[in-house]
Amino acid sequence: MSVRPAVARDADFLWRVLLEAYNWNGEQRFTAEQLAADPRAARYLVGWPCRDDFGVIAETDAGEPVGAVWARRLSGSEPGYGFVAPDVPELTLGVLPEHRGRGHGRALMEALIQAAVEGPASVARLSLSVEDGNRAVHLYTALGFTRVGRNGNSDTMVLDVRRAPHH
């Protein structure tokens, strides 16, 4: 497995990952069409990549994408589910079901945090939203994310990238 930066041609795969992230529990609660038609979901990817967007893709040795994580700054007037502030990019993480439990999520998150630290976007913090029952919360906590709020049945978590455990 390798990790590479996400680019414009990855947009279709990122939409697939967004669908996996929304359907994290294995149930098809949403369809791709529903996400594309829902402004609150679509704002995570419409126009990918925008100026300050950044992300990474995990691929098999054969070059098949198996997961992705990306971050996008959203506005207070059009926030995401894990919105904290306009200068705090909100991330979306997803790994295709048949590739979960193999460390791909951790590798993706570590690469994204590294990109936040070293990249041109000048990112001090990252945020995310994680629904109750989603086991990914253990990964986020291990990486240094802390709970800062609640939105419905989800926690909003933030990471100070300069204080992330692996730095």
Side-chain angles (χ1 to χ4, degrees), residues 11-24 27-47 70 72 79 81 92-94 100 131:
D12 288 345
F13 181 69
L14 295 181
W15 279 101
R16 184 174 171 198
V17 168
L18 183 68
L19 183 62
E20 292 297 339
Y22 268 73
N23 293 326
W24 61 267
E27 299 172 19
Q28 186 171 350
R29 301 182 298 168
F30 303 92
T31 65
E33 294 76 19
Q34 286 172 319
L35 292 186
D38 176 358
R40 191 137 187 210
R43 68 181 51 135
Y44 288 105
L45 275 173
V46 167
W70 67 94
R72 172 172 271 188
Y81 292 100
T92 303
L93 168 69
R100 292 180 185 155
E131 280 187 273

Side-chain angles (χ1 to χ4, degrees), residues 90-101:
E90 185 176 343
L91 66 85
T92 303
L93 168 69
V95 175
L96 301 182
E98 61 272 24
H99 295 278
R100 292 180 185 155

Side-chain angles (χ1 to χ4, degrees), residues 29-132:
R29 301 182 298 168
F30 303 92
T31 65
E33 294 76 19
Q34 286 172 319
L35 292 186
D38 176 358
R40 191 137 187 210
R43 68 181 51 135
Y44 288 105
L45 275 173
V46 167
W48 170 268
C50 294
R51 185 172 58 91
D52 290 330
D53 291 350
F54 61 101
V56 292
I57 306 280
E59 295 180 330
T60 64
D61 293 338
E64 174 195 351
V66 298
V69 61
W70 67 94
R72 172 172 271 188
R73 290 184 169 133
L74 298 171
S75 69
S77 61
E78 294 185 337
Y81 292 100
F83 180 80
V84 174
D87 66 336
V88 179
E90 185 176 343
L91 66 85
T92 303
L93 168 69
V95 175
L96 301 182
E98 61 272 24
H99 295 278
R100 292 180 185 155
R102 300 181 191 173
H104 299 327
R106 177 177 288 277
L108 284 163
M109 289 293 292
E110 289 175 351
L112 186 82
I113 293 165
Q114 195 67 33
V117 169
E118 296 176 354
S122 181
V123 173
R125 296 183 298 160
L126 293 167
S127 73
L128 59 84
S129 175
V130 60
E131 280 187 273
D132 294 344

Side-chain angles (χ1 to χ4, degrees), residues 1 4 37 107:
M1 199 239 2
R4 65 164 174 82

